[in-house]
Amino acid sequence: MTFRHDDPGTPEALWDAWRGLRELPVVGPARPTVLLAAHPDDETLGAGGLLALTARAGVDVHVVVATDGEASHPHSPTCSRADLARWRAKEVEQAVTLLAPDAHLHLLHLPDGALDHHARALEQALDALVHHGSRVVAPWRADAHTDHETAGRVAAQVAADRGAELLEYPIWAWHWGAPGDVRLPWPRAVRQPLDAVARAAKARALREHRSQIEPLSPQPGDEVLLSPALLAHFEREDEVYFRTAADDLTAQRPTASLDATFFDDFYATNGDDPWGFTDRWYERRKRALTLAALPRERFRRAFEPGCSIGVLTAELASRCDQLLAVDPVAAAVDRAVERTAGLPNVHVRRGGVPADWPDGDFDLVVLSEVGYYCGPADLADLVDRAARSLTDDGVVVACHWRHPVAEYPLDGDAVHEALLAHPGLAPLAQHVEEDFRLDVLARPPVCSVAQQTGLVP
């Protein structure tokens, strides 16, 4: 699902006329709270009233703002990203002071628009503040904005680990959703009634975010980001949250493998290149390291499951006589076929692993960001198929993101531990960073590159 901030969106009058919002149960009493915002203004829009009421109750409040929102006006002719970062950081300081004068404000200054690559830093910041029995208030994980989704996932994971209640506030869902919309988790919805004092404080705080509610200048690229129609959703007498109790959070991590529907929906929500393979330096560098780790200059027959749109596939092709790539998402396969159309040694088809593991042997199997989508049983099957399909001189190259993702059954380290534990695989090379892990494994006994090329006995 995609949308634009300047689309007409769902009018507030439709939401106001829907009895479903007024009939929601009320949020429980105030408790120590950590309020997370992906960008300055999220805290005021989504939870400003709750923040004011919690502060008034005299309990401890921390407000964590992940990014400075410097990407809000990417085509501004008058304001640089650095200027916007400073401007918006000052705005959120003033807004939080109006809502909760004694709140502890934490500005993390993580990159706007790339929060998914800094989830570990966000997790560490929250982990130091969230305690058992406290309340975590965060953007809704399915708000259809990549930074909101990352912030929500990390908050849910920390809340589960710490035994805290989670309240998720929607921002853009009021714009792209509709009353009764099945894409929103109404069974978990609760409301926080706002008295006149809390509503007035929220209105004053929102006016501090001038960079978003007023044009930066009359020039194109400096338009208003938050229109009056959008702001109307946040002028209600109640704020709405999706609540998950601490005990329920611990049971939310899936144990079964993610199916094709998950990936179809993910591409539909996040676009043709949801992980930024084509434009992120992080991804380009990771591919370069993966290719550099290959222990031979050339391979006869290679297999790449989970090829997505074929960016790594096209680069692997120059090192392989034959390369088979598969992915469960039809749209991704179409993109991969287009990308490799001029490469006769590449064959791309639709399929998932381990169920659709191909016949035949391979001297190279590339498991790049695929293993953690499997449940434990399917991962064991995947690892075993990879090991058994290797030729005597074959290798498995595995590379996976190490930060936790609430929707994934496993994390990257668990995938690599399973590979290293298989009796038919032994480590040949390893590269570990905070963000990802790269392992090269071969049939034992392994032979180093220097040994293979005769440099050492």
Side-chain angles (χ1 to χ4, degrees):
M1 196 278 301
T2 58
F3 68 93
R4 288 175 52 90
H5 76 277
D6 53 359
D7 288 340
T10 303
E12 175 58 18
L14 288 181
W15 289 110
D16 184 60
W18 187 44
R19 290 180 56 190
L21 290 185
R22 293 189 293 276
E23 295 174 350
L24 295 175
V26 175
V27 173
R31 61 173 74 184
T33 295
V34 176
L35 169 57
L36 172 62
H39 317 94
D41 76 15
D42 292 338
E43 78 299 325
T44 302
L45 291 167
L50 177 67
L51 177 58
L53 292 170
T54 303
R56 196 194 310 169
V59 300
D60 196 34
V61 176
H62 291 265
V63 178
V64 180
V65 185
T67 80
D68 292 329
E70 67 276 10
S72 67
H73 291 75
H75 306 297
S76 172
T78 64
C79 198
S80 69
R81 290 172 68 97
D83 290 339
L84 270 171
R86 289 189 291 269
W87 188 352
R88 298 196 69 186
K90 185 64 174 177
E91 289 175 344
V92 75
E93 290 173 2
Q94 294 168 335
V96 170
T97 298
L98 288 170
L99 292 165
D102 295 326
H104 309 280
L105 179 61
H106 309 265
L107 304 181
L108 303 187
H109 307 297
L110 300 174
D112 185 8
L115 196 55
D116 54 339
H117 287 299
H118 297 270
R120 180 64 173 171
L122 179 57
E123 178 191 9
Q124 291 172 337
L126 293 179
D127 197 53
L129 301 174
V130 177
H131 303 287
H132 182 81
S134 62
R135 172 179 287 163
V136 178
V137 183
W140 180 40
R141 282 167 283 178
D143 204 34
H145 184 296
T146 178
D147 282 346
H148 291 195
E149 292 174 357
T150 298
R153 286 198 304 268
V154 173
Q157 184 63 51
V158 172
D161 292 344
R162 291 292 191 171
E165 176 192 56
L166 177 67
L167 294 180
E168 299 175 85
Y169 55 86
I171 297 287
W172 291 107
W174 303 121
H175 181 66
W176 55 256
D181 195 324
V182 296
R183 294 172 294 180
L184 279 70
W186 299 115
R188 294 197 291 116
V190 294
R191 62 186 177 91
Q192 174 60 67
L194 305 181
D195 59 24
V197 175
R199 291 181 68 194
K202 180 173 180 175
R204 289 195 302 271
L206 188 54
R207 287 196 292 271
E208 294 297 331
H209 293 286
R210 293 183 179 86
S211 66
Q212 307 302 293
I213 65 174
E214 299 175 2
L216 303 183
S217 82
Q219 299 188 48
D222 280 349
E223 296 85 358
V224 169
L225 263 292
L226 303 178
S227 68
L230 181 65
L231 291 175
H233 301 314
F234 306 99
E235 297 168 354
R236 302 171 184 160
E237 296 181 356
D238 300 278
E239 289 174 341
V240 176
Y241 300 87
F242 302 126
R243 179 183 181 272
T244 310
D247 291 343
D248 295 332
L249 276 169
T250 59
Q252 281 192 351
R253 194 177 186 100
T255 56
S257 298
L258 301 180
D259 59 19
T261 302
F262 172 88
F263 297 102
D264 289 338
D265 292 344
F266 190 82
Y267 276 86
T269 300
N270 296 283
D272 291 341
D273 186 9
W275 290 281
F277 291 137
T278 58
D279 56 15
R280 283 181 174 160
W281 161 241
Y282 170 88
E283 295 293 344
R284 295 199 302 273
R285 174 178 176 270
K286 188 181 66 175
R287 286 196 300 276
L289 287 167
T290 301
L291 291 164
L294 298 179
R296 296 205 303 276
E297 187 173 4
R298 191 116 193 127
F299 294 85
R300 298 180 299 278
R301 186 169 185 252
F303 177 46
E304 182 200 3
C307 67
S308 186
I309 60 175
V311 180
L312 177 59
T313 311
E315 297 185 22
L316 283 169
S318 64
R319 305 281 293 275
C320 305
D321 295 336
Q322 297 179 50
L323 172 59
L324 170 64
V326 302
D327 196 272
V329 180
V333 169
D334 290 343
R335 292 285 305 281
V337 168
E338 293 173 3
R339 189 177 301 277
T340 60
L343 303 172
N345 60 326
V346 176
H347 178 61
V348 183
R349 71 186 189 202
R350 190 175 183 186
V353 291
D356 299 319
W357 196 275
D359 295 330
D361 296 332
F362 302 94
D363 59 341
L364 174 62
V365 173
V366 179
L367 303 177
S368 180
E369 313 288 4
V370 294
Y372 40 53
Y373 300 128
C374 295
D378 278 345
L379 177 64
D381 188 13
L382 172 68
V383 171
D384 190 60
R385 288 174 186 251
R388 292 180 182 277
S389 70
L390 288 183
T391 59
D392 290 341
D393 62 345
V395 296
V396 173
V397 177
C399 184
H400 289 85
W401 179 250
R402 299 183 67 205
H403 302 293
V405 180
E407 289 92 339
Y408 298 174
L410 299 168
D411 58 35
D413 284 331
V415 173
H416 287 246
E417 289 163 7
L419 286 161
L420 290 166
H422 194 282
L425 297 172
L428 176 60
Q430 184 179 74
H431 177 86
V432 180
E433 299 186 10
E434 182 178 353
D435 299 322
F436 70 91
R437 179 172 175 174
L438 173 64
D439 279 291
V440 181
L441 306 103
R443 287 191 179 279
V446 299
C447 182
S448 75
V449 175
Q451 289 173 320
Q452 292 176 32
T453 56
L455 294 177
V456 295

